[in-house]
């Protein structure tokens, strides 16, 4: 049998590729239009999947809550309110636990980051199920605090402890953690850090690896005793509201680095709120058509907010750090107007639900985009826009590949720039960890000061300013205009950039879709246009200058300004108004979250964003390259030929040699002559 | 143990002899059963706490047939999940099939296979009688050519399979082969196969062995539904089909000599109650179901011949 | 009347040199406010002459004797427990101490290791029959060198030992029923207090069966101990008036066990004093006039101090993990022997196992590591060391979590699998005991279970992609073709297209294969009817 | 065989091929490797860089057992030969720094040997031209991040690559005996490299006898090593089962970047032995047709066989192919016939980038299942396989060019088919 495998000796490319290549010039536009309509279709709640609840998270909907100790809650609340100054809330909680006859300990923790000096004291107690083997546990977190709602929540949770310790049906133990968030404006974040410290010790992370973890950012007491593996964790507070007597519960699901809580937990809680307490659920602090039927909402509000939050907010709530330790965590903001009984019964039902869940929660419900409390889009669908968006880059890369010839090699500048980015990252992190956010320096010069003693010169600088100063100036523009690359290795450079960008976007959108898709939407056109061959000089200069302005930070800032409706949810007003405020705040948060919580933003922007931005200059600067022209000419005549011939491929005579093998000397000379011509004009 | 049983049955038999004329007339309505002993294999295939109802299905049926005289030694009960002593159970050590029902898990329950032992392999082994030599007697189905066998399967099923422990599947072909093997080994006289699961009619699709009557809780394209939910425990406590089956047994079949026939039983769960059409397969069952007592399968009337030779109880028996 | 029969039987049996005794005892001790500890002990022993082996059994269960003889068992301990023993509050656990789940320790004779393994398998199955357990898949380790359980302390040569723990195993009513069946007095005496509904509604429940048999020359002595230990909350939360049997067992003691040699009720008071009531001395006890006792509610004043042990887990991801066994000594120096069974599904990071002790640094440590033969056999880690008073030591065992074959996973693989509790045998100057820590649950990496076949198809396709071309390209010969016919390929493509279209259609209509099959069958039946 | 003779004659004239200065690159390479030691604990557990037979951590486990007087092979999952354990143990006892420096030395010398050999081949084929192929090859290996990291975590693949390079060197510089010895020695550790013996067909001047004697020579050296292990292990053979058998029967199914693990996780127990045998047989017969087909180019043949060794090894790491990928530039004259270069290159890079992501989703955040990671690894392997296919194709294509060189003009257009 004859198995025909090589058209034209393997030199002919399949026609489909040819067609795609012809589309290259409009690929970007097509991709954008495609992605736009695709996402408009996908992210419309009407077309999304309805959240289906698997059987075991349905259980709590059937259980009748039995909590009846609201008296104790009120009484404890009085005690807590009348707490003498000498006594801390931690001690109060300890006392209550010991009155219940339960184990309770405190854990002092202190941050080792100079730029993030925090310290505090957590309290954690255990309620052990009577008849289980203590191999599993569920985590319940409440933030300590002196505000009225905080005190209410603490005491209600304590009354639940009192109730839970007498129940016989707990298959999982309880770990109650009362985290100490301080009283500052960033108390939520600090509480998250405190919870991080607790989980870090609870899961014994540092003794896992052979050598000591070098990024142990916290010093904390060891955990006195441990119960089993943590299945899920819920943070409770009273941040919910009620509109016209309609209770609205506020649920936060976003974790660090785009991790999200398992959808089943979310569904179960929504169902409890709906069926038992006739309360609505607001996500991302947004009312949507289900929560509030009086007003008209754009269906895309919630999805966009979801993506924005996932992309740019590292610490949405205290629960956000749980994902780091493999705990399914979310924050439930119970309605502020709930009675003691109602709110604790809510807690009871959620605990019963988590108690009934039998296995590790199923993995296929971690990646979703919520449109409202009953519609979601799962990963299989939402990746589509990203794929469409990176198509032009791939096409372009393939196109460039056809120009590569034997004597084009990978420029070492690539490695150099990346190493530079890494160096910047390390130094910034080191300074932030060991010296602090604002560090002072002073030097002495011998015998130049007044009356001959040593003169001093000193000053203090903000690391953020330094970072901005270092990264904002277009190093690449300078480098590649002084030493441009060899024209023959430009295609390689383009391919490299295109591939790096697309691979990064791909990986990013797999883990943190929000970040991935926004990056794609902004970076793809820039990369595509800047790596496109340019016929004349002015265009190159122009686009290089534009590129110099398009620093990642600038883009983020402009983006934030352009979408106040969304960005103000996580940008404070003060920063938003001043024009340097936003970038500085961004960098500050990035560095802090990177060192304190291990979020990836700073890493990505410094180690990939900045080098790529600089590398693109090498492709945006040169113009009117020989390789480009040869390729273009070659393409034209082939297309002409194919247009001329009727479509049968068997007999079309064709050049067996690839177009790339045309000697490069001639075009370069012609290139020179052309330039002279242009001078003459 | 066996002697006691014999003596006891002798007493029963002597009572059966002094029957009234009415009883004799009633007997004419029925074919004389050809079996001497009854066996039952009751299987709850589904793991996990929220499948409480499947365990209570099996237990409810277990108590009914025990009441009708099938001894523990003749009942092989497989429970895939330990529901009564599950730490999620608010009433430890008990199982209730209804909110105001009796405890089905008293101290007289004998579970033969439980937990991870409830596998497709073990089920097939029980039917075909091919065991690991060490398997104790209480775990074997020691039937002969004179035994009526009741096989009851409950759990989560699909089209032509039944899920065991939510991980492996018993296909209807496997079941059919097992039954066929039993027939060829002469291990049953008549058999009643009941499948209570979704799409359960597909379970007996391939059974072609003679003297097998098959029932199911729903037709191949239907789901079966649960009956009652206990909001203290937070789970459904029994399935509809089994609920009405047990009801029927408790109301109509009060004693062994009850005159209820299989047709009554088949009609006991109409679609308006079960919310699904129950399936019946009679084509391999030669008798007319109207002339078959329910107790031929659900009870053990111990029709026995007198033994002429002496029984020697070997060590196997005691192991 | 019954005494008469009993004495007659005894007389009869004496002629064979057969002596049997049955003792029963229940101890009630309040361990903490509102918490009561109840210990049942039923001992029955049997002394007979092996030459005149008789099949008469008065009080000793025959099946146990069969077990002892058939498998040449010298000593066998089976424990089943539910819940956790609270070492801090409740003091010394019942001996032999029981980890959550089931535990089997067997010493028996065999001709060789293989034979011993085989014999153990049979023994376990037989136990399933006797105790109505389901421990067939227990993984046993061979011959621990150091002491594991207190009652298996004294080591005998030329015996084969097997030890296994099954953490997932549950214990419930049916086990209790079977245990009661072993007793001489099933329906009267103290055994009537073994009422499931109360015993299982408790904080902790453990039951054990210990059987042993010695023979000097011809004199055989078989012993059996059945023990049930329960710690329960005060059912009536009043807390003022002392408890009665009705509170504890929700029934009163309405009968006596006449054939028992002794049957007594011990009640331990707050200051440790013991008030003993011998039921056999009580006259006129009947269902009409049951006896009742009053149990003080106050907790015992001085708690006896015990060595404490608990296990904890490190790491959450499914690749690596760490097991830490924390052992805290009480206020006097003691020698301890730690035993940890490492199941086959985790891989020991041997070079990283180490001890961490707080005061006095690391004591001298003897160590044993044993691997049992077989694919799924566990590894045995044992340590022998001596702790100074109040010293706390941590045994840190890092491990890798293994990916297993599909059929090796339990049905609920996503739930994770247990690493059994470690047992600590404590040797004081005057006495010794064993305690158990808690089991931990490790999340193993799991393959895709969602559908058994699609993954295999996926993998097999990949292999076709890998091996096919290599075969093709290395075995065929490349040559220029002038003219070739495309129709073969076209037909091929057409067929593929049809198949794909059909699959898509079936997917949209969610038709499954069986329905397709049935459709075809009914069609053929129609055809048959036509002619 | 005429062709190969001619090649040999070319090989004879040995110019000073170390003309280019390696001082700067070598020092740079040493520097990055030394730096990579600082980050070893980030990578020493990574699935991409370690596998059950190459992970240095596991060697340490074995050594610890030896120190405690336990028999490592009594325990499960100890896939190292006694020789490895004792040698590494000795090195560790002397000084760990020595070990590190030794590893760096090995890796650098691998790169250097590769460079030398490549230069030699290049000169013998193309004669002298300005292209400094040796330098290219050197930097391709020495600056390959995967190789760097593998050195940093003391992966045993470094030693393997060194042996690989040595074999290549001896093969090119026509010392078949040394080649055979090395091949035998290496295959006594991981059996799979034994098919490299087929490369010696080019060095046996077409005489079967010489080839066979070479084969027996390598078998002899393998046997010697086996005996050495046997003696080191106290005259007990219990190391065979965990090492050789586990390699030949794919018993360890822990995740790696190889082909087999997931297959043997998923496959039904009944078919396991069937697939095991068929895979092994298939593997060991693969070189025969390839050797017959690619008669005229030892270098290409060596590259293909080397790739096969790396692809079909049950417990590979990413570093396994580093050497072979480094000497790819030698296939210059085939370049214009390669069809899938971008596809293959892009796929390999993408999958290598995706592996950690998939691993994180599976193992850490448990938001994806095993299929994701396996998908990445299998695509990576398929890409390598396609590379092999392409090599075979371009070879035959070039042969045709050579044969029909007179009739083939630029404009003639012909399709090719496999018969």
């Amino acid at each position: 049998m004859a198995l025909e495998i090589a058209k034209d000796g393997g030199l002919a490319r399949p026609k489909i590729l040819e067609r795609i290549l012809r589309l290259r010039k409009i690929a970007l536009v097509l991709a954008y239009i495609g992605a736009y309509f695709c996402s408009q279709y996908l992210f419309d709640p009407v077309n999304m999947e309805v959240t289906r609840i698997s059987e075991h998270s349905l259980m709590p909907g059937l259980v009748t809550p039995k909590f009846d100790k609201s008296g104790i809650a009120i009484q404890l609340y009085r005690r807590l309110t009348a707490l003498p100054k000498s006594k801390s809330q931690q001690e109060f909680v300890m006392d209550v636990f010991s009155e219940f006859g339960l184990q309770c300990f405190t854990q002092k923790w202190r941050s080792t980051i100079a730029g993030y000096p925090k310290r505090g004291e957590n309290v954690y107690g255990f309620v052990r199920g009577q008849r289980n083997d203590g191999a599993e546990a569920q985590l319940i977190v409440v933030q300590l605090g002196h505000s009225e709602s905080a005190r209410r929540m603490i005491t209600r949770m304590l009354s639940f402890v009192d109730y839970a310790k007498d129940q016989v049906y707990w298959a999982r133990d309880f770990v109650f953690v009362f985290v100490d968030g301080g009283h500052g404006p960033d108390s939520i974040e600090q509480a998250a850090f405190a919870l991080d410290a607790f989980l870090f010790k609870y899961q014994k992370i540092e003794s896992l690896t052979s050598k000591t973890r070098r990024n142990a950012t916290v010093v904390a007491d060891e955990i006195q005793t441990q119960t089993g593996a943590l299945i899920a964790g819920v943070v409770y507070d009273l941040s919910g509201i009620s509109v016209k007597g309609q209770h609205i519960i506020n649920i936060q699901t976003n974790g660090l680095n785009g991790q999200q809580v398992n959808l089943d937990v979310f569904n179960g809680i929504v169902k409890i709120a709906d069926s038992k307490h006739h309360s609505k659920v607001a996500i991302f602090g947004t009312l949507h058509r289900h929560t509030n039927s009086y007003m008209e909402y754009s269906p895309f509000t919630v999805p966009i907010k979801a993506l924005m939050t996932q992309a740019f907010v590292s610490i949405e709530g205290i629960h956000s750090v749980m994902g780091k330790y493999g705990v399914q965590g979310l924050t439930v903001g119970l309605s502020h107007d709930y009675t003691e009984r109602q709110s604790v019964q809510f807690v009871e039902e959620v605990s019963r639900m988590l108690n009934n869940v039998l296995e590790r929660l199923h993995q296929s419900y971690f990646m979703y985009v919520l449109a409202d409390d009953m519609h979601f889009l799962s990963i299989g669908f939402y990746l589509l826009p990203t794929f469409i968006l990176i198509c032009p880059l791939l096409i372009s890369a393939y196109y460039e590949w056809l120009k590569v010839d034997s004597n084009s090699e990978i420029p070492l500048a690539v490695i150099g720039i990346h190493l530079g980015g890494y160096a910047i990252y390390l130094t910034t992190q080191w300074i932030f960890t060991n010296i602090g956010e604002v560090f002072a320096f002073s030097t002495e010069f011998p015998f130049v000061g007044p009356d001959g003693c040593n003169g001093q010169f000193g000053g203090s600088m903000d690391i953020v300013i330094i970072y901005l100063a270092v990264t904002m100036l277009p190093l690449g523009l300078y480098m590649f205009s002084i030493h441009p690359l060899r024209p023959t290795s430009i295609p390689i450079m383009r391919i490299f950039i295109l591939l790096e960008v697309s691979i990064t976007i791909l990986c990013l959108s797999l883990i943190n879709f929000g970040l991935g898709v926004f990056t794609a939407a902004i970076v793809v056109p820039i990369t595509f246009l800047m790596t496109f061959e340019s016929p004349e000089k002015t265009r190159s200069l122009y686009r290089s200058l534009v590129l110099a302005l398009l620093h990642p930070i600038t883009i983020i800032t402009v983006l934030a300004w352009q979408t106040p409706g969304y960005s103000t949810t996580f940008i404070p007003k003060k920063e938003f108004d001043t024009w340097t405020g936003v970038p500085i705040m961004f960098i500050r948060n990035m560095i802090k979250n990177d060192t304190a919580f291990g979020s990836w933003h700073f890493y990505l922007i410094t180690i990939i964003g900045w080098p790529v931005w600089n590398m693109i200059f090498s492709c945006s600067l040169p113009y009117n390259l020989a390789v480009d022209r040869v390729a273009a000419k070659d393409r034209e005549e082939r297309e002409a030929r194919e247009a001329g011939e009727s479509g049968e491929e068997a007999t079309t005579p064709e050049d067996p040699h690839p177009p790339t093998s045309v000697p490069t000397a001639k075009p370069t000379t012609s290139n020179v002559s052309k330039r002279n011509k242009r001078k003459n004009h | 143990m066996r002697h006691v049983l014999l003596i006891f049955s002798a007493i029963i038999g002597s009572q059966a002899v002094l029957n009234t004329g009415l009883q004799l007339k009633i007997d004419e309505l029925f074919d004389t059963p050809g079996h001497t002993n009854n066996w039952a294999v009751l299987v709850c295939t589904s793991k996990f706490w929220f499948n409480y109802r499947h365990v209570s299905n099996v237990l409810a049926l277990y108590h009914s047939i025990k009441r009708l005289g099938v001894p523990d030694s003749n009942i092989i009960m497989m429970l895939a999940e330990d529901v009564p002593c599950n730490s999620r159970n608010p009433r430890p050590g008990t199982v209730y099939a209804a909110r105001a029902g009796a405890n089905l898990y008293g101290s007289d329950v004998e579970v033969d296979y439980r937990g991870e032992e409830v596998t497709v392999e073990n089920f097939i082994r029980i039917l075909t009688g091919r065991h690991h030599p060490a398997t104790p007697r209480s775990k074997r189905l020691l039937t002969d050519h004179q035994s009526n066998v009741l096989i009851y399967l409950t759990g989560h099923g699909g089209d032509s399979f039944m899920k065991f422990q939510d991980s492996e599947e018993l296909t209807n072909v496997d079941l059919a082969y097992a039954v066929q093997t039993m027939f060829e080994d002469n291990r049953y006289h008549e058999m009643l196969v009941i499948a209570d699961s979704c799409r359960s009619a597909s379970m007996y699709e391939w059974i072609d062995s003679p003297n097998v009557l098959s029932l199911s809780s729903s037709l191949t394209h239907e789901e079966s539904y649960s009956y009652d939910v206990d909001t203290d425990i937070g789970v459904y406590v029994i399935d509809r089909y089994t609920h009405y089956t047990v009801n029927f047994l408790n109301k109509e079949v009060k004693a062994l000599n009850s005159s209820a026939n299989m047709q009554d039983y088949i009609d006991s769960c109409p679609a308006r109650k079960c919310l699904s059409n129950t399936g019946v397969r009679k084509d391999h069952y030669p008798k007319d179901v109207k002339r078959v007592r329910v107790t031929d399968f659900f009870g053990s009337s111990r029709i026995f011949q007198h033994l002429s030779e002496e029984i020697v109880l070997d060590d196997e028996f005691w192991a | 009347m019954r005494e008469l029969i009993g004495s007659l039987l005894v007389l009869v049996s004496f002629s064979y040199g057969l002596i049997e005794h049955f003792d029963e005892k229940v101890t009630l001790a309040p361990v903490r406010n509102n918490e009561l500890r109840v210990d049942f002990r039923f001992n029955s022993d049997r002394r007979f002459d092996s030459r005149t082996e008789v099949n008469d059994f008065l009080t000793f269960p025959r099946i146990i004797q069969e077990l002892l003889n058939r498998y040449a068992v010298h000593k066998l301990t089976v424990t089943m427990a539910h819940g956790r023993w609270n070492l801090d509050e409740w003091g010394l656990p019942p001996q032999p101490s029981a980890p959550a789940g089931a535990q089997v320790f067997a010493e028996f004779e065999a001709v060789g290791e293989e034979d011993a393994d085989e014999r153990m398998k049979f023994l376990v199955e037989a136990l399933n029959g006797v105790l109505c357990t389901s421990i067939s898949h227990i993984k046993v380790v061979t011959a621990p060198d150091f002491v594991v359980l207190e009652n298996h302390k004294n080591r005998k040569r030329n015996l084969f030992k097997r030890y296994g723990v099954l953490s997932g195993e549950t214990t419930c009513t049916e086990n209790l029923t079977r245990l009661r069946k072993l007793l001489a007095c099933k329906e009267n005496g103290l055994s009537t207090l073994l009422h499931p509904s109360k015993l299982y509604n408790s904080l902790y429940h453990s039951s054990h069966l210990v059987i042993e048999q010695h023979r000097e020359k011809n004199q055989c002595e078989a012993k059996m101990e059945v023990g049930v230990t329960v710690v329960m909350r005060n059912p009536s939360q009043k807390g003022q008036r002392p408890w009665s049997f009705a509170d504890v067992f929700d029934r009163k003691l309405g009968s006596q066990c006449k054939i028992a040699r002794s049957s007594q009720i011990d009640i331990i008071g707050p200051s440790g004093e013991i008030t003993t009531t011998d039921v056999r001395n009580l006259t006129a006890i009947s269902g009409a006039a049951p006896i009742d006792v009053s149990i003080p509610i106050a907790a015992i004043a001085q708690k006896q101090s015990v060595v404490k042990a608990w296990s904890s887990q490190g790491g959450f991801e499914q690749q690596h993990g760490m097991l830490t066994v924390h052992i805290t000594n009480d206020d006097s120096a003691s020698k301890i022997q730690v035993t940890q069974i490492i199941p086959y599904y985790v891989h020991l990071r041997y070079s990283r196992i180490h001890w961490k002790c707080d005061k006095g640094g690391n004591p001298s440590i003897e160590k044993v590591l044993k691997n049992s033969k077989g694919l799924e056999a566990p590894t045995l880690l044992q340590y022998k060391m001596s702790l100074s008073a109040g010293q706390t030591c941590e045994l840190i065992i890092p491990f890798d979590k293994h990916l297993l074959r599909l059929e090796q996973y339990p049905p609920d693989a996503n739930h994770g699998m247990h690493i059994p509790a470690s047992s600590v045998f404590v040797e004081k100057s005057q006495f010794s005991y064993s305690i158990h820590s808690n089991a931990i649950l490790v999340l193993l990496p799991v393959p895709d279970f969602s559908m058994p076949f699609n993954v295999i198809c996926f993998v097999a396709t990949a292999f076709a992609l890998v091996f096919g071309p290599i075969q093709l390209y290395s075995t065929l010969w490349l040559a220029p073709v002038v003219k070739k016919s495309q129709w073969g390929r076209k037909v091929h493509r057409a067929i593929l297209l049809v198949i794909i279209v059909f699959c898509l259609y079936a997917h949209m209509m969610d038709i499954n294969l069986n329905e397709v099959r049935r459709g075809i069958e009914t069609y053929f039946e129609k055809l048959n009817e036509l002619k | 065989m005429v062709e190969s003779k001619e090649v040999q004659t070319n090989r004879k004239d040995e110019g000073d091929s170390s003309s280019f200065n390696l001082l700067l690159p070598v020092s740079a390479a040493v520097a990055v490797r030394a730096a990579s030691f600082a980050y070893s604990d980030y990578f020493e557990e990574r699935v991409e860089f370690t596998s059950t037979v190459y992970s240095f951590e596991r060697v340490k486990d074995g050594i610890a057992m030896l120190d405690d007087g336990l028999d490592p092979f009594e325990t499960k999952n100890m896939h190292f030969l006694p020789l490895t354990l004792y040698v590494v143990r000795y090195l560790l006892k002397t000084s760990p720094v020595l070990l590190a420096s030794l590893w760096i030395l090995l890796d650098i010398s691998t790169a250097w040997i590769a460079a030398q050999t490549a230069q030699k081949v290049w000169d013998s084929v193309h004669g002298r031209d300005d292209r400094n192929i040796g330098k290219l090859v050197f930097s391709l290996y020495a600056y390959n991040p995967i190789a760097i990291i593998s050195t940093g975590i003391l992966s045993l693949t470094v030693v393997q690559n060194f042996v690989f390079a040595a074999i290549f060197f001896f093969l090119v510089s026509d010392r078949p005996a040394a080649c055979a010895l090395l091949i035998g020695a290496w295959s006594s550790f991981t059996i799979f490299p034994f098919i490299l013996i087929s490369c010696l067909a080019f060095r046996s001047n077409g005489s079967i006898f010489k080839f066979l004697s070479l084969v027996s020579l390598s078998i002899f050296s393998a046997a010697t090593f086996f005996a050495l292990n046997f003696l080191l292990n106290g005259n007990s053979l219990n190391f065979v089962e965990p090492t050789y058998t586990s390699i030949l029967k794919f018993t360890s199914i822990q995740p790696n970047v190889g082909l087999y693990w997931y297959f043997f996780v998923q496959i039904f127990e009944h078919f396991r032995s069937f697939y095991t045998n068929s895979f092994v047989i298939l593997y060991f017969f693969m070189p025969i047709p390839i050797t017959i087909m690619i008669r005229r180019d030892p270098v290409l043949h060596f590259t293909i066989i080397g790739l096969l060794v790396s692809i079909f090894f049950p417990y590979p790491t990413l570093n396994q192919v580093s050497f072979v990928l480094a000497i790819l530039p030698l296939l210059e004259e085939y370049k214009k016939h390669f069809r899938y270069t971008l596809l293959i290159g892009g796929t390999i890079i993408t999958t290598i980038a995706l592996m950690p992501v998939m691993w994180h989703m599976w193992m850490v955040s448990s938001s994806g299942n095993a299929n994701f990671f396996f998908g990445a690894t299998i695509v990576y392997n398929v890409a390598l396989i396609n590379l092999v296919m392409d090599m075979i194709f371009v070879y035959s294509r070039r042969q045709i060019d050579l044969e029909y060189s007179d009739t083939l003009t630029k404009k003639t257009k012909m399709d090719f088919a496999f018969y």
Side-chain angles (χ1 to χ4, degrees), chain A residues 3 6 210 214 259 656-657, chain D residues 38 44 365 410 413 415-416 418:
Chain A
L3 183 92
S210 60
R214 69 164 55 81
Q259 275 189 321
H657 286 286
Chain D
E44 69 193 2
S365 73
K410 276 193 181 324
K413 158 104 178 64
D415 304 343
F416 291 97
F418 270 125

Side-chain angles (χ1 to χ4, degrees), chain B residues 207-257:
Chain B
I207 298 179
D208 293 335
S209 321
N211 301 337
V212 178
L213 176 63
S214 322
L215 309 175
S216 75
S217 68
S218 63
L219 296 182
T220 308
H221 52 84
E222 289 178 330
E223 313 287 328
S224 315
Y225 297 93
S226 61
Y227 178 71
D228 195 5
V229 61
D230 184 337
T231 52
D232 294 347
I233 319 179
V235 290
Y236 296 98
V237 289
I238 195 164
D239 280 331
R240 287 187 166 269
Y241 183 77
T242 312
H243 172 75
Y244 288 111
T245 302
V246 174
N247 259 6
F248 172 79
L249 291 178
N250 294 346
K251 288 209 178 61
E252 310 297 324
V253 193
K254 290 223 162 35
L256 269 175
N257 56 3

